[in-house]
Amino acid sequence: MTDQLRVGDVAVSPLPGGGYGACQISEITDEHVTLHALDWSGPRPPELTELPDTGLVLLDHHSWSDRIAQISVFPQNHPMPPDLEWIGNLPVPPGVPAGGTSFSGWQSPVGDMVRQRRWERLPEPVRAAYRALRPPEPVTADLGGGPVTLTTSLGHLDLRSGDIPLPASGPVDWSVLDRLPRCTEITWSGPDRGLTAALARYPLVSGVNWFDAPPLVDLSDTSVLSLRAAGDELREIRLPDGAHHLDLGPTGSRCTVRAADRGRWLRLALFLATPSTPAPSGLDGVRQVSLTGAGVLSAATVTGLHEMHTLRLQWTGPPGRLDDPAALAGLPGLRLLEMVDAYGVDADLPAHLPGLRHLDIHGLRGSVAKELRARLRRTEVGLSLAGAKSDRWLAANMDNPFRDWADDDPKAGAAACKAFAAALRAVDRLPATRTPADAEPILRTLVEAINQIDEKWGIVDTLRREEAGDAFVTLATRAGVPTPTADDWFDKWRDF
């Protein structure tokens, strides 16, 4: 599809949270496509005749300063969304640079427009307080459990970490948010304790992470756009109009979600405790779904989500198998299937997907990759493959959390895998009565090895730093080191 695009082509796109917008191509190179948002939105898709002279979207929300809503996309890394509809060609407005300096996905420019429009709807005192904060200042706050020093620039109020004292029970003093004019995200755990009412009073907060959630999480009167919720007691979630992200799970049983248009405008991400975990009820209109789980996923999870056009499957551990693949045949609108670490998936999968238009896989067996290329060579299904590995490599490294580093740099990846494997063997040789002090030199050697790998090959970006941190904590837990101690060691020893 991308080889047919031209500079000036215009696409209509659904907007996060509801409605439609439009974007336009300003540059095409051998490697990337650059798009900018047009200053138009509405409840229905626009006609091309409505879009000339609509102007550009300038971003000045939060800390932005009149930047054009423009993004460059690497098509080889970001397959084109099925709901991006190309409707014609128009002259590129004056003042649009040919190439962008930021990189993301195809629909990022219209997503930026939604965030800008939301910012413009916030009360002026809220916006003024956010912008006036120069420089940050310390502030003493008390949520009812005792004073603590925070900073006025705090963007994420994490009340799950234990660093901020809370009263043992009863209401929390949420007026602390009056003194945090840049707080846009809250992490919380347990019963409501006044959180929902506070969110209704503080419209700047758009992101909530709620763990050990109560049976009902009702955010319908808030300005929350993105919710991550989990908990054994959670049974029902009510989202406000305009919400566009729901990350759910694991939960103790099936959950009901109430969202606008049965979830049509949501991106739904499910974190599954078991392969048999069903999708929540109430979201049969959802279009974009991702499933994440360890080892085995089941296509039966998404049975009933008949309007879905994009499905992403991500395995967090071996074998990377998909059970019940025939269930995907009941999704006639499925056009894009993405898979990460699908080492247990075989080449028969496309046979269950009659409407598929693009298959994107990162991490699979080399033999399966070869067979897929042969099967799809003369079909209309686009195929993107990366991270194919031989059976020999997988036999040695399947359980290694650094196995995918080899996709970017084989030597760096091999060194990271070797360092982790050595650390794992050393931890498993520790005596049963071990103490954290026994594990400390082993864990420090691992971090120093990653320091050297990054110094030599420069491979550790933000994502890989998180992967290294997760691997370190997993190994530390295996060695009996408390997580707070492991986190402290990791941050103290790492140079990346």
Short mmCIF file of all heavy atoms in Angstrom, two decimals, residues 414-440:
data_model
loop_
_atom_site.label_atom_id
_atom_site.label_comp_id
_atom_site.label_asym_id
_atom_site.label_seq_id
_atom_site.Cartn_x
_atom_site.Cartn_y
_atom_site.Cartn_z
N ALA A 414 24.05 -11.62 22.16
CA ALA A 414 24.69 -12.84 22.63
C ALA A 414 25.41 -12.59 23.97
O ALA A 414 25.35 -13.42 24.88
CB ALA A 414 25.66 -13.36 21.59
N ALA A 415 26.05 -11.43 24.09
CA ALA A 415 26.76 -11.11 25.34
C ALA A 415 25.78 -10.93 26.49
O ALA A 415 26.04 -11.38 27.62
CB ALA A 415 27.59 -9.84 25.14
N ALA A 416 24.65 -10.29 26.23
CA ALA A 416 23.65 -10.09 27.29
C ALA A 416 23.05 -11.43 27.72
O ALA A 416 22.87 -11.69 28.92
CB ALA A 416 22.57 -9.14 26.81
N CYS A 417 22.75 -12.29 26.75
CA CYS A 417 22.22 -13.61 27.09
C CYS A 417 23.22 -14.42 27.92
O CYS A 417 22.85 -15.09 28.89
CB CYS A 417 21.86 -14.37 25.81
SG CYS A 417 20.35 -13.79 24.99
N LYS A 418 24.48 -14.35 27.53
CA LYS A 418 25.51 -15.08 28.25
C LYS A 418 25.64 -14.57 29.69
O LYS A 418 25.76 -15.37 30.63
CB LYS A 418 26.85 -14.93 27.52
CG LYS A 418 28.00 -15.68 28.16
CD LYS A 418 29.27 -15.51 27.34
CE LYS A 418 30.45 -16.26 27.99
NZ LYS A 418 31.69 -16.08 27.18
N ALA A 419 25.57 -13.23 29.87
CA ALA A 419 25.70 -12.67 31.21
C ALA A 419 24.54 -13.09 32.10
O ALA A 419 24.72 -13.43 33.27
CB ALA A 419 25.78 -11.14 31.12
N PHE A 420 23.32 -13.08 31.55
CA PHE A 420 22.17 -13.48 32.35
C PHE A 420 22.23 -14.96 32.69
O PHE A 420 21.93 -15.36 33.83
CB PHE A 420 20.86 -13.15 31.62
CG PHE A 420 19.64 -13.48 32.44
CD1 PHE A 420 19.15 -12.56 33.35
CD2 PHE A 420 19.01 -14.71 32.33
CE1 PHE A 420 18.03 -12.85 34.13
CE2 PHE A 420 17.90 -15.02 33.11
CZ PHE A 420 17.41 -14.08 34.00
N ALA A 421 22.59 -15.79 31.71
CA ALA A 421 22.67 -17.23 31.96
C ALA A 421 23.68 -17.55 33.06
O ALA A 421 23.44 -18.40 33.93
CB ALA A 421 23.02 -17.96 30.67
N ALA A 422 24.82 -16.84 33.04
CA ALA A 422 25.82 -17.06 34.08
C ALA A 422 25.29 -16.63 35.45
O ALA A 422 25.51 -17.32 36.46
CB ALA A 422 27.09 -16.28 33.74
N ALA A 423 24.59 -15.50 35.50
CA ALA A 423 24.03 -15.03 36.76
C ALA A 423 22.97 -16.00 37.28
O ALA A 423 22.91 -16.28 38.49
CB ALA A 423 23.43 -13.64 36.59
N LEU A 424 22.15 -16.54 36.38
CA LEU A 424 21.11 -17.48 36.79
C LEU A 424 21.73 -18.75 37.38
O LEU A 424 21.29 -19.26 38.42
CB LEU A 424 20.24 -17.83 35.59
CG LEU A 424 19.13 -18.86 35.82
CD1 LEU A 424 18.14 -18.35 36.87
CD2 LEU A 424 18.40 -19.17 34.51
N ARG A 425 22.77 -19.25 36.74
CA ARG A 425 23.43 -20.46 37.26
C ARG A 425 24.02 -20.19 38.65
O ARG A 425 23.93 -21.02 39.56
CB ARG A 425 24.53 -20.93 36.30
CG ARG A 425 24.00 -21.53 35.00
CD ARG A 425 25.11 -22.23 34.24
NE ARG A 425 26.19 -21.31 33.86
CZ ARG A 425 26.23 -20.65 32.72
NH1 ARG A 425 25.24 -20.79 31.83
NH2 ARG A 425 27.25 -19.84 32.43
N ALA A 426 24.60 -19.00 38.81
CA ALA A 426 25.21 -18.66 40.10
C ALA A 426 24.15 -18.53 41.20
O ALA A 426 24.36 -18.97 42.33
CB ALA A 426 26.01 -17.36 39.97
N VAL A 427 23.02 -17.93 40.88
CA VAL A 427 21.94 -17.81 41.85
C VAL A 427 21.43 -19.19 42.26
O VAL A 427 21.19 -19.46 43.44
CB VAL A 427 20.79 -16.94 41.29
CG1 VAL A 427 19.51 -17.11 42.11
CG2 VAL A 427 21.21 -15.47 41.26
N ASP A 428 21.27 -20.07 41.30
CA ASP A 428 20.74 -21.40 41.60
C ASP A 428 21.73 -22.26 42.38
O ASP A 428 21.33 -23.29 42.96
CB ASP A 428 20.34 -22.11 40.30
CG ASP A 428 19.07 -21.53 39.70
OD1 ASP A 428 18.37 -20.77 40.40
OD2 ASP A 428 18.80 -21.79 38.51
N ARG A 429 22.99 -21.85 42.42
CA ARG A 429 23.97 -22.58 43.23
C ARG A 429 24.04 -22.06 44.66
O ARG A 429 24.75 -22.64 45.50
CB ARG A 429 25.35 -22.49 42.58
CG ARG A 429 25.51 -23.34 41.33
CD ARG A 429 26.99 -23.51 40.97
NE ARG A 429 27.61 -22.25 40.64
CZ ARG A 429 27.75 -21.76 39.40
NH1 ARG A 429 27.28 -22.45 38.37
NH2 ARG A 429 28.36 -20.61 39.19
N LEU A 430 23.34 -20.97 44.97
CA LEU A 430 23.37 -20.42 46.33
C LEU A 430 22.74 -21.41 47.30
O LEU A 430 21.82 -22.16 46.94
CB LEU A 430 22.62 -19.09 46.38
CG LEU A 430 23.28 -17.91 45.67
CD1 LEU A 430 22.33 -16.72 45.66
CD2 LEU A 430 24.60 -17.53 46.34
N PRO A 431 23.16 -21.41 48.55
CA PRO A 431 22.58 -22.33 49.53
C PRO A 431 21.13 -21.98 49.82
O PRO A 431 20.70 -20.83 49.64
CB PRO A 431 23.46 -22.14 50.76
CG PRO A 431 24.06 -20.78 50.59
CD PRO A 431 24.25 -20.59 49.11
N ALA A 432 20.38 -22.96 50.29
CA ALA A 432 18.96 -22.74 50.59
C ALA A 432 18.77 -21.68 51.67
O ALA A 432 17.75 -20.98 51.70
CB ALA A 432 18.31 -24.05 51.02
N THR A 433 19.74 -21.50 52.55
CA THR A 433 19.65 -20.51 53.64
C THR A 433 20.28 -19.19 53.24
O THR A 433 20.77 -18.46 54.09
CB THR A 433 20.33 -21.07 54.89
OG1 THR A 433 21.69 -21.41 54.56
CG2 THR A 433 19.60 -22.29 55.41
N ARG A 434 20.31 -18.88 51.98
CA ARG A 434 20.98 -17.68 51.48
C ARG A 434 20.35 -16.40 52.02
O ARG A 434 19.18 -16.37 52.41
CB ARG A 434 20.93 -17.67 49.96
CG ARG A 434 19.53 -17.75 49.39
CD ARG A 434 19.58 -17.85 47.88
NE ARG A 434 18.28 -18.05 47.29
CZ ARG A 434 17.95 -19.12 46.58
NH1 ARG A 434 18.82 -20.10 46.41
NH2 ARG A 434 16.75 -19.23 46.05
N THR A 435 21.16 -15.34 51.98
CA THR A 435 20.71 -14.00 52.37
C THR A 435 20.91 -13.06 51.18
O THR A 435 21.63 -13.40 50.22
CB THR A 435 21.53 -13.48 53.56
OG1 THR A 435 22.89 -13.26 53.13
CG2 THR A 435 21.50 -14.48 54.72
N PRO A 436 20.31 -11.88 51.21
CA PRO A 436 20.56 -10.92 50.13
C PRO A 436 22.04 -10.62 49.92
O PRO A 436 22.47 -10.41 48.78
CB PRO A 436 19.79 -9.68 50.59
CG PRO A 436 18.65 -10.23 51.38
CD PRO A 436 19.23 -11.42 52.11
N ALA A 437 22.81 -10.64 50.99
CA ALA A 437 24.24 -10.38 50.85
C ALA A 437 24.93 -11.44 50.01
O ALA A 437 25.91 -11.15 49.31
CB ALA A 437 24.89 -10.29 52.24
N ASP A 438 24.43 -12.68 50.05
CA ASP A 438 25.01 -13.74 49.24
C ASP A 438 24.78 -13.48 47.75
O ASP A 438 25.63 -13.82 46.91
CB ASP A 438 24.40 -15.10 49.61
CG ASP A 438 24.71 -15.51 51.05
OD1 ASP A 438 25.83 -15.23 51.51
OD2 ASP A 438 23.82 -16.08 51.70
N ALA A 439 23.63 -12.92 47.42
CA ALA A 439 23.29 -12.69 46.02
C ALA A 439 23.86 -11.40 45.47
O ALA A 439 23.95 -11.23 44.25
CB ALA A 439 21.77 -12.69 45.86
N GLU A 440 24.24 -10.48 46.35
CA GLU A 440 24.65 -9.15 45.89
C GLU A 440 25.77 -9.17 44.85
O GLU A 440 25.66 -8.52 43.81
CB GLU A 440 25.05 -8.29 47.10
CG GLU A 440 25.44 -6.87 46.70
CD GLU A 440 25.75 -5.99 47.91
OE1 GLU A 440 25.64 -6.49 49.06
OE2 GLU A 440 26.09 -4.81 47.71
#
